[in-house]
Amino acid sequence: MNRPSIAALVLSLGIQSIAAHATAAPIGIWVTPGFGSKVELSYCKGGDPNTLCGEIIWLWDSVDERGTPQKDTKNPDKERRQSPLVGTKIIWGFKLNNEGTWRGGKLYNPEDGQSYSGSFRLESHDELNLKGCVMRVLCKSQTWRRLDAVMEDAGRSTAPSP
């Protein structure tokens, strides 16, 4: 094999890797900024198998001052205000578009009880950038990290030096 063929092969593999990464589903457990919660992203149950949903599976402050589980007190549905936050679906209905961005769904913010249109995109295997918007004008972004990557980083920073 001559040099141009090797270069073409390497370039081709690099492009394939980038394309595979861009279309990879962010299935798994993600940590929100400040390690406030863990959210599990998975394919939505009972719907389109290519649609992503996510629910809170752990909270840093999981109980209130009385020791009872934190509730979804800001939910606009009065019947859901007594539901525990752990187990609350906060992401639903997202589908992957041709640019590698998940769109078309809703993001629920239990801190204000509002649902927002939004999008998210894998920036790397271990980083997910979410953007929630009001009327597509006022937007906020957050970067979530995979739990495994956060734990690995924590292990490195606490490991004793040789």
Side-chain angles (χ1 to χ4, degrees):
M1 201 179 265
N2 60 29
R3 284 188 185 255
S5 297
I6 292 172
L9 177 63
V10 169
L11 180 60
S12 159
L13 290 174
I15 290 170
Q16 289 173 2
S17 173
I18 291 168
H21 169 71
T23 60
I27 301 299
I29 299 174
W30 295 87
V31 177
T32 62
F35 213 84
S37 61
K38 295 179 200 171
V39 176
E40 183 170 20
L41 293 181
S42 60
Y43 292 109
C44 301
K45 293 173 177 62
D48 182 343
N50 297 314
T51 304
L52 286 183
C53 290
E55 71 178 51
I56 297 171
I57 61 168
W58 178 89
L59 290 170
W60 183 269
D61 292 323
S62 61
V63 294
D64 63 19
E65 61 279 348
R66 293 170 293 175
T68 59
Q70 293 284 358
K71 306 277 194 269
D72 191 9
T73 59
K74 307 270 176 139
N75 197 307
D77 180 349
K78 290 181 182 179
E79 292 180 18
R80 304 217 58 207
R81 291 181 185 165
Q82 294 304 309
S83 300
L85 276 176
V86 173
T88 297
K89 187 185 292 187
I90 62 169
I91 293 173
W92 64 91
F94 284 88
K95 293 184 181 218
L96 184 64
N97 70 11
N98 293 335
E99 292 93 39
T101 302
W102 294 82
R103 295 188 179 279
K106 293 287 185 183
L107 301 165
Y108 173 65
N109 180 359
E111 291 178 6
D112 65 11
Q114 299 298 310
S115 295
Y116 300 94
S117 61
S119 63
F120 53 90
R121 178 183 192 82
L122 276 172
E123 298 299 331
S124 71
H125 176 73
D126 296 329
E127 287 191 357
L128 183 68
N129 184 276
L130 289 87
K131 183 162 82 171
C133 301
V134 176
M135 298 171 48
R136 297 185 183 188
V137 179
L138 301 171
C139 301
K140 286 190 176 182
S141 294
Q142 279 190 352
T143 299
W144 293 2
R145 295 195 60 220
R146 279 196 196 271
L147 175 61
D148 294 345
V150 171
M151 298 306 287
E152 187 176 310
D153 288 349
R156 274 194 227 125
S157 67
T158 60
S161 302

